[in-house]
């Protein structure tokens, strides 16, 4: 569950992103788990859902605990589900499974996370972000 003020607006790639409404200094706590807002869905529950809701979960849910490999996914019912991927995110997970800022985040800046940090099997083939650590051309 998000615990900071955020806004939704178009991101740089034409989708929807989650943006900070305030200055968030490095280390600011922005998300904590809340079982009412962050809904765990078992494989059996998923299978019983209408295909329209399955598609929503396919887009916005993620493995609750990829190490457990139990097939349970988590769906954020608040705007946290609009946090986009970045290979250089401005948030990270702490040792208590909470999300904090990895650096100062300015008001109006998009909040991002590294999807691979909580879902190493995530398909990022859609990722439009330029690759990092690319050697500069020599001339």
């Amino acid at each position: 569950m998000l615990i900071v003020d955020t806004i939704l607006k178009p991101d740089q790639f034409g989708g929807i992103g989650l943006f900070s409404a305030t200055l968030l200094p490095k280390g600011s706590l922005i998300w904590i788990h809340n079982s009412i807002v962050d809904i765990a869905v078992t494989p059996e529950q998923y299978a019983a859902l209408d295909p329209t809701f399955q598609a929503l979960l396919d887009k916005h849910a993620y493995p609750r605990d990829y190490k457990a490999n139990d097939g349970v996914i988590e769906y954020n019912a608040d705007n946290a589900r609009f946090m986009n991927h970045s290979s250089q995110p401005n948030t990270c997970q702490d040792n208590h499974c909470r999300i904090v800022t990895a650096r100062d985040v300015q008001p109006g800046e998009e909040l991002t996370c590294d999807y691979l940090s909580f879902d190493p099997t995530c398909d990022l083939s859609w990722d439009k972000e330029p690759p990092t650590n690319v050697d500069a051309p020599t001339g």
Side-chain angles (χ1 to χ4, degrees):
M1 173 180 82
L2 288 167
I3 59 170
V4 296
D5 290 331
T6 59
I7 54 175
L8 296 178
K9 62 182 184 178
D11 66 11
Q12 64 179 331
F13 303 113
I16 299 293
L18 181 69
F19 293 78
S20 178
T22 61
L23 173 65
L24 299 171
K26 179 180 180 177
S28 295
L29 183 62
I30 66 166
W31 183 94
I32 57 173
H33 184 269
N34 180 306
S35 60
I36 296 170
V37 178
D38 307 308
I39 304 164
V41 179
T42 66
E44 297 78 20
Q45 291 169 321
Y46 177 90
L49 291 170
D50 181 89
T52 303
F53 200 74
Q54 287 178 349
L56 178 71
L57 292 177
D58 292 345
K59 183 172 185 172
H60 292 290
Y62 52 91
R64 177 183 60 181
D65 180 357
Y66 75 87
K67 294 175 187 172
N69 198 25
D70 58 6
V72 176
I73 57 176
E74 188 158 286
Y75 174 74
N76 303 124
D78 66 355
N79 286 340
R81 70 183 179 272
F82 293 103
M83 188 179 292
N84 288 318
H85 167 76
S86 174
S87 58
Q88 296 180 347
N90 54 17
T91 70
C92 59
Q93 186 171 304
D94 71 8
N95 293 334
H96 304 286
C97 296
R98 304 174 306 181
I99 305 298
V100 298
T101 53
R103 59 170 177 74
D104 291 351
V105 175
Q106 299 302 312
E109 183 177 348
E110 184 172 9
L111 293 164
T112 58
C113 61
D114 180 358
Y115 288 0
L116 296 176
S117 69
F118 54 86
D119 184 6
T121 64
C122 181
D123 174 14
L124 294 179
S125 61
W126 50 265
D127 188 8
K128 300 174 189 171
E129 186 178 52
T132 58
N133 298 327
V134 176
D135 292 333
T138 57

